[in-house]
Structure formats: structure tokens, C-alpha cells
Amino acid sequence: MMLICNTIFQSVEFYVILTVAAAAVVAFCARPSGHGAAQTHLIGGWLTEGAPDVAPQVLVECLENGDVVLTRTGLTDVYATGAASLAITRTGNDIVIKERLTPGTPCGAEMTTATFTLDFLGQEWYHIKYEGDTSTSLFAAFRLHVRPGIRMMRPLTH
């Protein structure tokens, strides 16, 4: 019996099978997670007058009803006739938010704050990348746990 066990462990076939099994384990561990298809949401915002000369930042607040309110402050050269919107691409728990600003005609007051309501997020952790309008090249990246009462502020940097 001992002789048979020694011959099995010294055969080439045993090591080939062992190598194939190890490669299968490595392939299983290295496979990408199934994020699913990407979803894109286009959200319109409300422009309001705010304090002048405020640093560009994003304020995120999770409401009791499950909505997430995102407030962008520090807008420049956007007027009451302009518009602000977000193009939000969600792939699994990764979210990329791209800001789109239309300045409008420079008559009337300058709008410095835009507010958006996101009503499609569940109570989970999300990795969020916020990209400002292409003319500003500002961005912020942060993690958000959507739960009622969560409130966070992140500065937008170059």
C-alpha cells in the first residue's frame, strides 16, 4: 500500500492534475465581479442665489424618505436664465456624476448654488466621483453610505 502511494505522488500525471486544479482556483478568485449593466440618469437642478465667494463644494444629505439631496455651491458665471444638470452613470456601486452648466444671459442675479434630488439610490455604500463642468475641471471623490440623517460636505479641487 505504501508503495502505491509513493508512486502516485511521484508521477507526472499527479502534478499535472494538481497544477490544473491550482489554476482553476486562481481563475475563480481573479474573475471580475458582476456589476451589471451601467445605468444613466439625467437630473435637472434648481439654481438659487447663495453667498458670494463661497468655495466650490458638494453637500450630500440623505433624507428620511430615501432620497439623496446633492447641493453644489460655488458656481460662477451662471445666471437666472441658465441651467444646471447632472449626468449620473451608475455601474453597480460605482457612480460617476458629471456636472453640466449652461450660463444663460448675464442679466439679473448670479446663481451660485444648484440643488439636485437623487431618488434612485438604495441604502448601500457607493463610491462616488463628482466631475465639475468641463470649463472648471473640478472634481471630488468620496464614499457615501445612504442612510437617513447622513450629511457630508466635500470640497471640489483641481
Side-chain angles (χ1 to χ4, degrees), residues 56-58 70 72-76 78 84-87 96-102 114 116 128-142 154-158:
Q57 56 191 3
V58 175
L70 190 142
R72 160 71 155 93
T73 61
L75 296 174
T76 56
V78 178
S85 63
L86 298 177
V96 176
I97 300 174
K98 293 185 180 182
E99 175 183 271
R100 297 178 178 171
L101 299 175
T102 304
F116 308 91
I128 298 178
K129 179 181 178 187
Y130 187 97
E131 299 175 354
D133 192 56
T134 55
S135 63
T136 62
S137 71
L138 296 172
F139 77 95
F142 53 94
R154 293 292 182 258
L156 293 170
T157 58
H158 290 281

Side-chain angles (χ1 to χ4, degrees), residues 2 16-17 22 24 29 47 53 67 70 73 76 86 112 116 140 154:
M2 186 65 114
V16 169
I17 292 171
C29 293
L47 292 172
D53 300 327
D67 290 352
L70 190 142
T73 61
T76 56
L86 298 177
T112 59
F116 308 91
R154 293 292 182 258

Side-chain angles (χ1 to χ4, degrees), residues 5-133:
C5 286
N6 284 342
T7 353
I8 290 175
F9 292 129
Q10 293 177 357
S11 69
V12 173
E13 292 84 4
F14 173 75
Y15 289 104
V16 169
I17 292 171
L18 191 63
T19 303
V20 169
V25 169
V26 168
F28 179 76
C29 293
R31 71 184 174 140
S33 62
H35 284 235
Q39 299 175 348
T40 300
H41 301 272
L42 302 175
I43 308 290
W46 296 275
L47 292 172
T48 56
E49 292 182 58
D53 300 327
V54 174
Q57 56 191 3
V58 175
L59 171 67
V60 181
E61 184 175 3
C62 301
L63 303 179
E64 293 293 326
N65 66 355
D67 290 352
V68 175
V69 175
L70 190 142
T71 305
R72 160 71 155 93
T73 61
L75 296 174
T76 56
D77 300 327
V78 178
Y79 300 93
T81 57
S85 63
L86 298 177
I88 302 172
T89 303
R90 177 181 170 194
T91 308
N93 288 358
D94 298 328
I95 297 176
V96 176
I97 300 174
K98 293 185 180 182
E99 175 183 271
R100 297 178 178 171
L101 299 175
T102 304
T105 56
C107 61
E110 187 173 359
M111 302 289 126
T112 59
T113 303
T115 304
F116 308 91
T117 301
L118 287 60
D119 59 358
F120 54 87
L121 299 177
Q123 291 192 1
E124 300 179 47
W125 281 98
Y126 294 98
H127 303 118
I128 298 178
K129 179 181 178 187
Y130 187 97
E131 299 175 354
D133 192 56

